[in-house]
Amino acid sequence: METSRSTQISAEAPVMEPQRQFYYMDLAKKLVEERERAYGRKLTAHVETFGCQMNARDSEKLRGILDTIGYVQVDTEEADFVIYNTCTVRENANNKVYGRLGTLGSYKKKHPEMMIALCGCMMQEEHVVERLKKDYRFVNLVFGTHNIFKFAELIVCALTQKKMVVDIWDGTTEIVEDLPVERKYSFKSGVNIMFGCNNFCSYCIVPYVRGRERSRDPKDIIREIEQLVADGVVEVMLLGQNVNSYGKNLEQPVTFAELLREIEKIEGLERIRFMTSHPKDLSDELIEVMAQSKKICKHMHLPLQSGSSRILKKMNRHYDKEQYLALVEKLRAAIPDIAITTDIIVGFPGETKEDFLETLDVVQKVRYDSAFTFIYSKRSGTPAAEMEDQVPEAEVKENFDMLLKEVQHIAAEKAKELEGATLPVLVEQVNEHDETLLTGRLSNNSVVHFSCAALDPDKQADTSLIGKIVDVKLVECKGFYYLGELCS
Ligand code: SAH
Ligand code: SF4
Ligand code: F3S
């Protein structure tokens, strides 16, 4: 793959990171100011995120840099600079980007000065970059997941040259700390604890586009969370493709449970979440830490993928149906009120009706609080894409619909169990459809919309509660969310 590293604009640029990027942020700022003077107004930027929470966090890093160099963030793609942070986990994620890019291209025809950048997981695929170079010449900048820290340097490059700038790295061992970040929420934040994945589940493209597993130094993680807390954050979501294998490749190995113990000590931090947990690496030590913790949320996202041991083997998941069920039992024994959620794939190559019924059986036994269900999507380059007996779409659809119905039915029944209870809610925002209500989340991650009127009938949604944890009575369960009333 092309690795044009001809981005060194000046010999003065420091070699060390992050100093080098701060140098380029200054340079980019000057270039942006020049354009501002020419246009007689501020420049606008829009970052569109596709995919998972890792990408959402990466987008906050992109926004941090855009802010620093003087772009005003806007919520529309009619902006001076539009960045798509892409996902390629399933074919439809991929198609969405091409579709949107077509529309953006037409807009750019009328606004030729506009800049378009593409980054993220899709860009790590050679055929994507080839297609962009051939059919989407209007794109100014293409970079990948490994060099996202170089965004400022790449912007300088794109602002100073006419041709498409392409910089994709095959991998990296580098983790650059201390670059600016612009958070979406003032009171909660994602925190990367590791990057990449070593598991190579046979259907999954992530290890190819995110590279090998790299854990951040625990000291850097703690320092980041302390700074976030000082800045008003009360809830962190620790992010990794398999948080249960955190720390194994550090010079001084640390377990995920040990990291959690340290994070728990941070004063002012109230809630700790994490995702994702791979069942094969979920330790007894972690369960113990969770059971004892006052801050770790009562929620475990534990992807099942399939309930058939035969399919799990072909998926390279390293657990079988019985081991998975035993793990759930152990979790529930130690933490009785824990919410368990999952991801399930329907239609993996070779999946028979019997295999599917095994999945349905696990769903009925575990009774998930919620589940993301996906139709298997063939990703070229993965071992599953080469397997024979890919299952016809029509057959998959029937099973998929049956699974979805069961998952939703169980989730609604589970949610109903909490009706009438009074529980702590982290208030996130004013309700999007009804301004008299506030919206927040329970420890188990369920959404609650509640009014403050029970205490004072004239009371409108009290926005001063946003970012605070308050007691809410769950008056009515509406399937997958609750309507409630403020108590405290
Ligand atoms: N690291 C996480 C998940 C990453 S991707 C984990 O191991 O659980 C998120 C989810 O997308 C996966 O859990 C899986 O259910 C789904 N997924 C991944 N590849 C897929 C594919 N090729 N087709 C359909 N779903 C897929
Ligand atoms: Fe993909 Fe498996 Fe890694 Fe998750 S653990 S990112 S499903 S390869
Ligand atoms: Fe998608 Fe990349 Fe996440 S492929 S699911 S954005 S790691």
Side-chain angles (χ1 to χ4, degrees):
M1 192 161 285
E2 181 177 341
T3 49
S4 77
R5 297 202 190 174
S6 56
T7 48
Q8 186 138 342
I9 302 295
S10 154
E12 292 163 27
V15 179
M16 295 291 286
E17 299 291 3
Q19 293 79 0
R20 183 177 174 89
Q21 294 315 311
F22 283 105
Y23 168 89
Y24 280 108
M25 278 178 234
D26 277 346
L27 211 55
K29 200 168 172 186
K30 291 193 184 101
L31 294 169
V32 168
E33 282 165 1
E34 263 172 38
R35 286 199 180 192
E36 278 173 8
R37 280 194 291 276
Y39 300 173
R41 61 170 176 84
K42 292 293 251 182
L43 296 195
T44 56
H46 176 77
V47 182
E48 186 69 22
T49 313
F50 301 83
C52 67
Q53 306 222 22
M54 300 272 176
N55 259 19
R57 184 65 179 157
D58 282 347
S59 289
E60 293 186 341
K61 296 176 185 172
L62 298 173
R63 286 195 192 96
I65 290 168
L66 288 167
D67 248 25
T68 309
I69 64 181
Y71 279 98
V72 176
Q73 316 267 338
V74 288
D75 226 3
T76 153
E77 292 185 9
E78 295 184 1
D80 296 303
F81 191 7
V82 173
I83 300 103
Y84 282 174
N85 190 7
T86 64
C87 170
T88 188
V89 77
R90 284 170 290 274
E91 187 69 31
N92 55 3
N94 216 286
N95 289 338
K96 231 186 270 173
V97 169
Y98 286 123
R100 295 275 290 267
L101 200 51
T103 318
L104 207 55
S106 328
Y107 180 75
K108 187 171 173 168
K109 274 208 184 107
K110 289 184 232 129
H111 304 271
E113 289 301 311
M114 169 194 197
M115 289 218 307
I116 299 174
L118 292 176
C119 63
C121 295
M122 228 174 120
M123 301 306 122
Q124 292 295 140
E125 294 180 285
E126 213 162 322
H127 64 91
V128 171
V129 178
E130 286 315 312
R131 185 166 166 189
L132 292 173
K133 282 187 194 158
K134 196 164 146 275
D135 300 332
Y136 298 84
R137 296 297 311 165
F138 58 85
V139 172
N140 301 75
L141 168 62
V142 178
F143 59 103
T145 56
H146 302 297
N147 55 346
I148 188 165
F149 70 89
K150 264 184 72 178
F151 188 39
E153 185 170 346
L154 293 166
I155 291 176
V156 170
C157 218
L159 281 168
T160 48
Q161 70 185 53
K162 281 259 170 289
K163 64 177 203 289
M164 190 191 243
V165 177
V166 179
D167 190 4
I168 309 286
W169 295 7
D170 290 337
T172 183
T173 50
E174 202 167 2
I175 297 178
V176 179
E177 299 285 350
D178 299 321
L179 288 169
V181 180
E182 175 62 33
R183 290 198 312 277
K184 185 169 174 204
Y185 297 98
S186 59
F187 52 87
K188 68 171 185 177
S189 178
V191 174
N192 298 104
I193 63 166
M194 60 209 293
F195 302 94
C197 181
N198 283 353
N199 293 298
F200 291 96
C201 302
S202 63
Y203 50 82
C204 185
I205 193 90
V206 171
Y208 305 89
V209 296
R210 286 270 169 178
R212 293 296 61 71
E213 191 175 290
R214 302 170 312 279
S215 294
R216 278 176 78 195
D217 190 314
K219 282 195 219 72
D220 290 327
I221 297 170
I222 301 286
R223 191 163 47 102
E224 180 180 348
I225 300 176
E226 283 171 349
Q227 280 163 0
L228 287 168
V229 170
D231 199 29
V233 165
V234 291
E235 176 180 300
V236 288
M237 166 74 92
L238 309 177
L239 298 171
Q241 295 299 348
N242 175 12
V243 292
N244 296 335
S245 69
Y246 169 80
K248 287 185 179 160
N249 54 9
L250 285 170
E251 243 166 66
Q252 288 176 311
V254 176
T255 65
F256 180 50
E258 282 164 353
L259 177 71
L260 283 172
R261 274 206 192 95
E262 290 307 307
I263 295 175
E264 173 106 19
K265 289 181 198 154
I266 298 175
E267 229 169 282
L269 181 66
E270 307 213 38
R271 280 183 170 181
I272 305 167
R273 299 186 185 280
F274 51 83
M275 74 186 307
T276 298
S277 271
H278 194 307
K280 79 177 166 69
D281 295 309
L282 202 159
S283 66
D284 290 351
E285 188 195 10
L286 173 62
I287 298 177
E288 196 187 309
V289 170
M290 282 184 81
Q292 289 165 354
S293 168
K294 296 210 166 31
K295 296 185 179 174
I296 302 173
C297 288
K298 306 282 183 229
H299 174 211
M300 174 69 78
H301 186 65
L302 194 64
L304 168 70
Q305 312 302 1
S306 167
S308 154
S309 299
R310 194 180 74 85
I311 295 294
L312 283 167
K313 201 165 172 62
K314 287 178 71 177
M315 285 179 161
N316 195 30
R317 289 290 288 179
H318 297 279
Y319 55 86
D320 61 20
K321 180 184 178 185
E322 285 66 37
Q323 285 166 328
Y324 184 93
L325 288 172
L327 191 56
V328 168
E329 214 162 285
K330 205 162 23 166
L331 271 167
R332 289 227 166 103
I335 313 157
D337 53 345
I338 193 167
I340 300 180
T341 59
T342 202
D343 292 348
I344 299 170
I345 298 174
V346 184
F348 184 84
E351 186 181 81
T352 62
K353 195 77 184 180
E354 270 136 51
D355 293 314
F356 170 73
L357 292 175
E358 294 277 2
T359 299
L360 208 58
D361 185 44
V362 175
V363 166
Q364 284 158 349
K365 288 203 164 92
V366 174
R367 298 181 56 76
Y368 293 104
D369 293 83
S370 87
F372 294 107
T373 50
F374 305 107
I375 289 180
Y376 167 75
S377 172
K378 190 171 168 175
R379 307 315 288 131
S380 52
T382 63
E386 303 302 314
M387 289 179 190
E388 286 163 18
D389 50 21
Q390 307 274 330
V391 188
E393 180 92 23
E395 204 173 305
V396 179
K397 191 74 177 65
E398 193 186 302
N399 289 344
F400 180 82
D401 290 344
M402 193 192 296
L403 178 70
L404 188 62
K405 225 169 121 193
E406 189 63 4
V407 156
Q408 287 174 342
H409 175 71
I410 294 172
E413 279 186 356
K414 294 260 330 182
K416 194 100 185 148
E417 289 169 16
L418 286 182
E419 207 174 62
T422 296
L423 289 169
V425 167
L426 172 58
V427 187
E428 302 203 332
Q429 60 195 49
V430 173
N431 187 292
E432 281 173 357
H433 306 291
D434 181 349
E435 278 181 11
T436 66
L437 299 179
L438 291 172
T439 297
R441 274 174 200 273
L442 299 175
S443 168
N444 75 10
N445 210 31
S446 298
V447 172
V448 184
H449 306 294
F450 66 97
S451 83
C452 308
L455 299 179
D456 171 2
D458 298 327
K459 197 138 182 105
Q460 290 293 300
D462 180 356
T463 50
S464 72
L465 295 180
I466 292 173
K468 301 214 165 69
I469 295 180
V470 295
D471 280 338
V472 174
K473 179 167 183 184
L474 309 179
V475 177
E476 193 186 350
C477 172
K478 289 282 196 185
F480 57 94
Y481 67 89
Y482 300 91
L483 289 179
E485 276 168 11
L486 180 71
C487 290
S488 49

